[in-house]
Amino acid sequence: MEHIRMPKVENVRLVDRSSSRRIQVGTLYLTATHIIFVGKGSEDRNELWVLHSLVCNVVKHKSSQSGYPLLIHCKNFQVIQFIIPQESDCHNVYISLSRLSRPEKYEELYCFSFNPNVDKAEREHSWDFLNLKAEYSRMGLPNKLWHVTPINREYRVCDTYPADLFVPKSVTLPVIVGSSKFRSRGRFPTLSYYCKENHATICRSSQPLSGFSARCLEDEQMLQAIMKSNPGSRFMYVVDTRPKLNAMANRAAGKGYENEDNYCNIKFQFIGIENIHVMRNSQQKLIEVSALRSPSMGEFLLGLENSDWLRHIKSTMEAGIFISKAVAEEGVSVLVHCSDGWDRTAQVCSVASVLLDPYYRTIKGLMVLIEKDWVSFGHKFSHRCGHLDGEPKEVSPVIDQFLECVWQLMEQFPCAFEYNEKFLISIHNHVYSCHYGNFICNSQKERKDLCIKEKSHSIWPHLWESKLDFMNPLFKPDQSQNQGLLRPSTAPYCFKYWRRLYNRFDRELHPRQSELDCLMTIKEETQQLEEELALYEQKLAVLDKERAKTLYMQKGVLDSKQALWSLPLDTSLANTPQDYIGGFIGGAPNVFTLQQGERESAELSLFGDKPKSSDADSSDQESGVADFSSHSSGEESLPTVYALSVTALFEER
Amino acid sequence: MELSEHIKTANVEDVTLKRPFHPALRGTLCVTSHHLLFSDRKDEASWQLLILLRNIDAIEKRAVGSSGTITIKCKDLLVLQLEIPGMEECLNIASSIEALSSLESVTEMYPFFYRPSHLTLQGPWGLSSMEQYYKQTERLWDRWRVSTVNSDYSVCPSYPSAVIVPREVADDMLIRSARFRQGGRFPVLSYCHHRNGMVIMRSSQPLTGANKKRCKEDELLLQAVIDGSELGYVIDLRSAQQAQQARMTGGGFESKSCYSHWKRIHRHHERGKVVQESLIKLVEACSDPSHSVDRWLSKLENSKWLSHVHSALSTAGLVVECVERDGHSVLVHGSEGTDNTLLVSSLAQLILDPASRTVTGFLCLLEREWIQAGHPFQQRCAHSAYSHARLKQECPSFLLLLDCVWQVWRQFPLALEFSEALLLRLAQEAYASNYGTFLCNSEQERCAAGVKENTHCLLQSLLKPDIEEQYLNPLYEPTDLAIWPSVHPQSLQLWTGLFLRWTEYAQNMVEAREEVWSIVKEHRERAGPDQTNNTLSTHCETLTPFENLMDELTIL
């Protein structure tokens, strides 16, 4: 609280970025956790909440006639512009926000103060929602070739790895230790994915400390053992996901890559995904393009090209495809690494897994995959997402790229995924929001030391509750082409700009009608009807029996049958648009506004969180509520023409 | 010369056919006057491939030893290869294809020979005439009339015999106005808005010339259009500079001093050759999947196709804003008034008018605004994206329209009764067809060639006896509101269904469309016929009137 210089500013103007004509006047509040803007008119939906942890940066702009503009860029790509009447107020808000959005200690993060009214048992239960042990046993592990090594139980061999790791049974503890000493940060080769059908595996590690000529017998034995644990194959791939030049440069620092001559039966392959710095700059350019206000087609496409973003997505995808084909088609095991083995390696392993295993194309499966390949294997979320004030060069959108690869696949295979893009966007939001404990810290050990599980909540059960919102109605798990390996095309036209993510808050850019939502409603209703039908059939069967017993009561039975059937008819009639429109005509316009607001809140909760109670409400909203449109009909700033059209509409009705 | 004289080799055995999504086939190739047939069996009654020669845009020959390969590039963007044993046969086949695919005489074309058993040539041709349209549109009766001043096509050769004009304007005034407009295309009614009676008119440019000629009758005609209201808009589809330049060659624009109640807005639209080249570049970019992403994006940008889509939709949005929001009438024209003018006026109607979003309504719109209005289909669609022939008057205006309609459908997936498949079918038929609908350049030419007496009408056959399911949008839910599309570059996409039609990418989308149908059908089965519409309409609330009105095209 001590960082808040200015808890409240009156007469602040919120500018709608899509049209500077739409301006909302209200009060700006700074709390310990949120920026809150309350528009005048005091209707409760007229609010904007932004979590401090989602604020990426705050910029003061040159003063204008109406005041001092303050631009807030968020990590979920929302851009908010306030105009504050007094310069001193603006400066105070700026200073406060700059500090609040850059916490120095983990304890300051929102997940430690977020308290959604659940008891201890429920919170602990929320952390048991995903169980990696169960995931490995789903893969078929442990088995006679692979087992869990206890060597890292205390995180002594590798402090960025999880406690439980799968290695070939034939590997002895000294071999593991030896190998880990020969790998950057001790990240020795260990299993990421096991293919039950043909015993091929995806293993991961960091780069070897080979320098120009060093070798390590244990590391060589380790790879040999991994290869041998796939009885059908005579060699294995070692995939270095870096560009060859980068890997060569690392040799000068005593690191590098595997020499094919020293390892028996490996095939070495560079893939050439650029490093985190290149990716950070690329995404920055992409964000600038996405934020252009009414660019020409040419500006947009050239900006997209110059960002190089889609080229990087393509190279990540290609790496995933290479590995998934090696495993599924050749039955060959693959060892993947980059430099440290927690960025590109995580991306590539998880993309390959999505391609290989239909399970990861289900809602639960994607959660498990992220928990396994990213969270447990020590993707440095705190550094990469900039949770704490720190080295800006450590920030990089590595996980964004993974989520985008999945999205690009969904675009190519609309029937192969159980989830829709809202799910991905929701995950993206929470990776950055620090609302839940899952993505705090840089490794499992750090999370344990910080007692994350005792002090915060897990996101997964929360997302699971909103499962219905994340369902893809077109999902066809039984279709042959959706089973097994996905074979995406990498033709350049298959890589598209992800508008829903990068322009998430620019409502006017998105389709006004949602095909998928419509289909989902239809599907749900079909299911409901089927259930009802089954219920009635059951009841009828009972009634039939009774009728057989008591023939003389036949007339009465028929009556009750009719009563049964009229019920569903009534409910469906209550759902017709006429009712909606009727209410619309009869009530004052603000009745309509309210309905609109309600629907919006439902829509928004797909991305944010549904307030559970009025208590939770204030703490539970981390994302913006951009629904001022529904209230702005009374605003002076609107053109009169617009008002005219509204009246015309009313008359027409 | 008889068509058959072009055929030196009619049959070749042992030909190998390669095409997308199919294994290579070996069989017999056969050239007829209008078709290329391929059959892998001895009996020729069944074939694997039947291509209208008219559909072939370009061929490439290559000799490999004693045999030859012909690559056939079709106007619907399909590319296939034939390996023909024997160089002579190969060359014969190639020259037959070249000669027969580019016939000049309309009456030699296949629609004049197409006689399927289920269709008869009796009965009226087409869906509706201008007179019928007028009769059905009650809101026109008061202030508008049907003029038959052009019944012998002497006033304007590219207009239909009947047009709708202000009631108070006499035929002799129309004749005068026509003399003042390029190609005689005087201002006629294109659409009258059901909400406020405002109209969209279209014409060609006025012939003011360098010395600022005036035409009293033309001025009065436009005055009669706005009928006492203060203001109308002229949407000129050229930049202000281009419009100025046009005066040097006898054209011009409606100056403020002569048309005091009309406000002119200039919107630059590319035309003719530039748009055709744009299509060629786009298709070229799409046909090389080995490009890097960067190269693809710069080629896509360089083709400018999406920029044309963008301008067309923006200007249509502007017209709709004038009519629906501001409540003013609009006159649209460019130069000739046969391409961009029709593109903009028909798109504006799709956005404004719920009636034009049904299958019948949309086909009627195309008939009225493109076929009867004199879009020169034969010239514009003579070649598509692959042809090496020197460009004459080709221009894919109609394809551009279909692309824009597709963009609208992407943004309002419930608002159109028809599906993408119908748009694709129309795109194909405009370039090569069994039907006479897209033959010739105007009603006059169609009359002279006897198109109506001797060919079948595509639009009729699409609707008879019942429209095929694949042409319907299973999620259709009519809305009375204007459907304002977003024209931000982020919102516009490449029409993969057309331009990547023959790639795996588009195939996966076909699967998705089938799934949509099966979900809807399952629901209909369960819910029974009466309740089907309820769910959809309930859901349609997502398209709230408010949201829709709030929506601003950043055009003005």
Side-chain angles (χ1 to χ4, degrees), chain B residues 330-403:
Chain B
V330 175
L331 167 68
V332 186
H333 70 71
S335 307
E336 294 100 334
T338 51
D339 292 273
N340 285 330
T341 305
L342 307 181
L343 176 61
V344 168
S345 73
S346 46
L347 269 178
Q349 290 180 55
L350 187 84
I351 297 170
L352 274 173
D353 184 11
S356 67
R357 300 179 211 138
T358 63
V359 176
T360 315
F362 181 63
L363 295 178
C364 284
L365 176 74
L366 295 183
E367 182 177 51
R368 210 170 58 242
E369 288 294 283
W370 288 80
I371 297 161
Q372 293 169 355
H375 176 67
F377 276 101
Q378 197 178 335
Q379 291 173 357
R380 299 294 185 255
C381 300
H383 283 291
S384 162
Y386 290 122
S387 170
H388 305 298
R390 207 168 59 82
L391 292 183
K392 286 181 226 152
Q393 288 173 300
E394 289 82 0
C395 176
S397 306
F398 188 64
L399 222 48
L400 202 52
L401 169 86
L402 297 177
D403 196 332

Side-chain angles (χ1 to χ4, degrees), chain B residues 112 167 175 207 271 415:
Chain B
F112 281 84
R167 183 167 283 284
I175 296 172
L207 302 173
R271 43 196 283 264

